[in-house]
Amino acid sequence: MKTIIAEKPSVAREIAQIVGATKREAGYLSGNGYHVTWAFGHLVTPALPDGYGIKGFHRDNLPILPSVFSLVPRQVKTDKGYKADNDVLAQIKIITQLFHESEKIIVATDAGREGELIFRYLYEYIGCATPFDRLWINSLTDKAIRDGLENLKSGNKYDNLYYAAKARSEADWLVGINATQAITIAAGRGTYSLGRVQTPTLAMVCSRYWENKQFVSEAFWQLHVSTDGKGKDEVLKFSSDDKWKDKQPAEDFYQAVRNSGTITITKVERKETTQETPLLYDLTTLQKEANTKHGFSADKTLSIAQKLYEAKLITYPRTGSRYIPEDVFAEIPALLLTIKGSSAWGSHVNSMGEPTRRSVDDTKITDHHALLITGMKANNLSSDDAVIYHMIIGRMLEAFSEKCIKDVATVLASCSGVVFALKGFVVKQKGWRAIYGEEAEETVLPEWVEGDILPVKACSLAEGKTKPKPLHTEASLLAAMETAGKETEDEELRQSLKTCGIGTPATRASIIETLFQREYMVRQKKALVPTEKGLALYSVVKDMHIADVEMTGEWELSLARIESGEMQAEAFREGIETYTSQITSELLTCDKLFTHKETECLCPKCQTGTMQFFGKVVRCNNPSCVFPVFRQIAGKTMTDQDLLELLTSGKTGVIKGFNSKQGKTFNAVVTFDEEFHTKFIFPDLKTNDKNKKRKE
């Protein structure tokens, strides 16, 4: 008898059907010499500190560095603390019996780092010695499952993957448990959650927020001149190379150009340019583009992709590779034929030649190749599911189409000492750009040559404003996580930086969701905006190791090296323990940032507790309320007197020196709205009887 263990019941049912295990039992299926059972996520996890006899949050216990991690069944939180989940205990009991009765185990958990850990932790907890093989597949189609079962891999081939997964799990425990306890002890009240990847990610959101809010916009002026194009009524507009910070010289040049009435061509450059096809999707790129184009959260995109995978419609979604190997490339023509009859894509398939090879590279495949459809017919997809499915099809068609080729012309002209430029292009071969037809309209320039004198039909002086970097969206945050904050538009460089990114394609969505759940940030349309709670935490940890994005990226690189066999897990563990000791010490010494003084000021929200004045926040001491008022609002730090006035009378006097989003200073009264969020009141100085209100 052999036992196959899958990660989810739905996947177990698919595999059971293939092997003929059709008899339903409690917690598994059986038949034809097989038992097919399942986990539901992590059934076994490292024990919390009380599993090592350490209860509560106490300074003397830190750092907590277990010499050996104990494994326990997954727990649930109750009013009396954590206890084992009864459903988990029941399933572990069933799996234990099946494992011990079997001559062989076939591991069919998801083919990746976490899937490997789910099985190995369970195997270790049970104390099982039954030999096991690995089912390693890229999709859940019947053919893929059959091929995988005929080509099972020895379980020990994935030992390094397990060592990396175990090292990641223990590192997250060490950093998360110790950092959370240390900052909570330092704060003296409430619980603050920190994490190895979570906190650097929050730091990137908060850093961008302050960079955006503190940006001071500057005016600039640019000249434009218009002349005749090729067509009878066509007008072409040149723009000055220079942008002037001072208006007076810009106006002087404007008058000179206007009075001249002509501009002279000084240089004409024509060349053919090639736009390479985009690479296939990995999970992160799919998440970024789904967020940018459709507003989908990273978590939503992953959830849909997982659903499509389990419906046999796409290959394994939690992939970090944008390439496919040679053997998969050989199947691409047949795969494209499966969408030949599609009303949306059929015409593109019919017009394609031989698939191009830019996304083919055996050396750049990690656990899994890039995202592809499987060729199975997609029926009755919801609108959101269809969006992701068709994005993957569209990207496949782009990736296997020809390059886009253009003739680009760049023309320079001068007048009165001002250099002007104009670009135009003509598409010679649409190639992959034809798939979505989003190419900009062609600009056909006349056959100008150096020395041509053109009439100035119109001349204008336009004022512009410098703009800050926008707030992070999930798309830009995913990109920053992927490259440890190093911004680049170069695709090849971005690929090389992936090895030192923070998080993994499989975990980044959950990290972002954790920041929402902790109320450290919120969504405002597509923008990610840190809350006052998130900004207050960032102000404490921003210069500490726990918030260092690049250092966290280095740990991710170490995990990748463990997976590839280049580094021993023990060396990584030693480094993480040293790092944990450093951050614990740093966080415990930040208690001065949380020192407070007691007052008799009644909490305006619960009317029960009294307000404690901390360095960055005033907070209610009632544990069921802990209502906060943060000192810094719109770039202005309020004094104790300001806050006391707000808390006792419901509003302050007029406070000077707030900073608007546009970088301008303003004066306002601070008060509360009906939900006790702070907001501004702007006295109308003209009538003195109307208030113009705006929320903070």
Side-chain angles (χ1 to χ4, degrees), residues 424-466:
F425 73 92
V426 176
V427 177
K428 292 178 65 177
Q429 175 179 288
K430 287 187 177 179
W432 65 273
R433 287 286 191 183
I435 302 303
Y436 284 103
E438 295 176 347
E439 184 57 75
E441 186 177 344
E442 292 183 345
T443 302
V444 183
L445 301 184
E447 294 296 319
W448 291 322
V449 295
E450 186 177 332
D452 283 351
I453 298 174
L454 310 178
V456 173
K457 295 293 185 179
C459 181
S460 62
L461 179 62
E463 180 182 357
K465 294 279 189 181
T466 57

Side-chain angles (χ1 to χ4, degrees), residues 532 601-607 611 613 617-620 625 627-631 633 638 641-653 655 668-681 691 693-696:
E532 290 181 332
C601 176
L602 195 65
C603 173
K605 186 174 183 181
C606 72
Q607 296 291 316
M611 303 302 290
F613 281 60
V617 67
V618 178
R619 193 182 302 277
C620 175
C625 175
F627 165 59
V629 180
F630 292 90
R631 285 184 180 274
I633 303 175
M638 293 199 291
Q641 186 58 43
D642 293 332
L643 289 164
L644 198 59
E645 192 175 6
L646 172 63
L647 294 165
T648 54
S649 64
K651 65 179 182 179
T652 68
I655 299 176
V669 171
V670 180
T671 186
F672 293 123
D673 63 15
E674 60 277 3
E675 295 179 353
F676 287 94
H677 297 129
T678 53
K679 66 177 183 180
F680 294 126
I681 296 177
N691 287 332
K693 298 184 179 180
R694 181 178 80 191
K695 279 192 176 182
E696 174 196 335

Side-chain angles (χ1 to χ4, degrees), residues 392-667:
I392 295 169
I393 293 177
R395 178 47 57 91
M396 284 178 59
L397 292 172
E398 288 180 321
F400 297 120
S401 292
E402 295 290 341
K403 302 172 183 177
C404 175
I405 302 174
K406 302 176 184 179
D407 279 335
V408 178
T410 303
V411 179
L412 299 182
S414 69
C415 177
S416 302
V418 180
V419 177
F420 293 89
L422 172 64
K423 279 193 174 185
F425 73 92
V426 176
V427 177
K428 292 178 65 177
Q429 175 179 288
K430 287 187 177 179
W432 65 273
R433 287 286 191 183
I435 302 303
Y436 284 103
E438 295 176 347
E439 184 57 75
E441 186 177 344
E442 292 183 345
T443 302
V444 183
L445 301 184
E447 294 296 319
W448 291 322
V449 295
E450 186 177 332
D452 283 351
I453 298 174
L454 310 178
V456 173
K457 295 293 185 179
C459 181
S460 62
L461 179 62
E463 180 182 357
K465 294 279 189 181
T466 57
K467 294 180 180 180
K469 287 182 181 177
L471 299 178
H472 269 305
T473 62
E474 287 197 46
S476 67
L477 183 59
L478 285 166
M481 294 174 75
E482 190 178 34
T483 59
K486 297 181 178 70
E487 297 183 17
T488 177
E489 298 297 325
D490 185 279
E491 183 55 46
E492 294 300 322
L493 179 57
R494 177 173 290 281
Q495 290 294 310
S496 69
L497 287 171
K498 277 187 176 185
T499 54
C500 61
I502 65 173
T504 66
T507 61
R508 288 176 188 132
S510 64
I511 291 162
I512 292 172
E513 288 302 312
T514 296
L515 295 177
F516 291 124
Q517 292 163 10
R518 304 290 188 203
E519 297 181 342
Y520 290 155
M521 68 182 187
V522 295
R523 291 184 182 93
Q524 289 184 4
K525 295 183 179 178
K526 287 187 179 181
L528 302 180
V529 180
T531 61
E532 290 181 332
K533 180 180 178 182
L535 289 170
L537 182 61
Y538 171 67
S539 70
V540 174
V541 303
K542 64 181 180 180
D543 297 320
M544 298 182 182
H545 286 85
I546 187 70
D548 190 328
V549 177
E550 291 197 13
M551 181 173 288
T552 304
E554 289 170 8
W555 291 130
E556 295 290 354
L557 180 58
S558 296
L559 291 171
R561 293 179 64 205
I562 294 171
E563 190 172 324
S564 65
E566 300 172 58
M567 182 177 181
Q568 294 296 311
E570 292 76 15
F572 175 80
R573 169 68 182 265
E574 289 175 8
I576 280 289
E577 287 189 352
T578 300
Y579 171 74
T580 299
S581 298
Q582 288 175 338
I583 62 169
T584 301
S585 176
E586 280 184 324
L587 291 165
L588 286 172
T589 58
C590 74
D591 53 358
K592 61 182 180 294
L593 298 171
F594 293 99
T595 55
H596 67 277
K597 58 183 179 183
E598 301 286 347
T599 70
E600 295 181 0
C601 176
L602 195 65
C603 173
K605 186 174 183 181
C606 72
Q607 296 291 316
T608 302
T610 55
M611 303 302 290
Q612 297 174 317
F613 281 60
F614 293 83
K616 295 181 180 294
V617 67
V618 178
R619 193 182 302 277
C620 175
N621 68 359
N622 178 0
S624 63
C625 175
V626 295
F627 165 59
V629 180
F630 292 90
R631 285 184 180 274
Q632 191 169 77
I633 303 175
K636 173 75 175 179
T637 300
M638 293 199 291
T639 66
D640 283 359
Q641 186 58 43
D642 293 332
L643 289 164
L644 198 59
E645 192 175 6
L646 172 63
L647 294 165
T648 54
S649 64
K651 65 179 182 179
T652 68
V654 176
I655 299 176
K656 297 180 179 180
F658 292 109
N659 292 303
S660 71
K661 294 179 180 179
Q662 291 73 36
K664 296 180 179 178
T665 59
F666 64 91
N667 306 330

Side-chain angles (χ1 to χ4, degrees), residues 100-175:
H100 287 317
E101 290 176 357
S102 299
E103 63 190 41
K104 178 82 75 174
I105 299 167
I106 298 173
V107 184
T109 50
D110 281 358
R113 187 190 284 177
E114 287 309 298
E116 193 68 22
L117 191 65
I118 285 170
F119 166 71
R120 297 288 189 118
Y121 267 173
L122 184 60
Y123 187 79
E124 182 181 333
Y125 176 75
I126 289 171
C128 186
T130 306
F132 61 89
D133 288 333
R134 194 60 162 97
L135 176 69
W136 194 269
I137 54 179
N138 275 298
S139 75
L140 288 175
T141 62
D142 292 358
K143 180 180 183 302
I145 294 171
R146 287 194 179 96
D147 289 348
L149 289 169
E150 290 174 7
N151 297 280
L152 293 171
K153 311 293 184 184
S154 173
N156 62 18
K157 179 181 178 182
Y158 299 95
D159 284 352
N160 286 337
L161 183 64
Y162 163 57
Y163 298 148
K166 184 170 182 281
R168 192 280 310 156
S169 173
E170 294 176 356
D172 285 351
W173 192 102
L174 289 166
V175 175

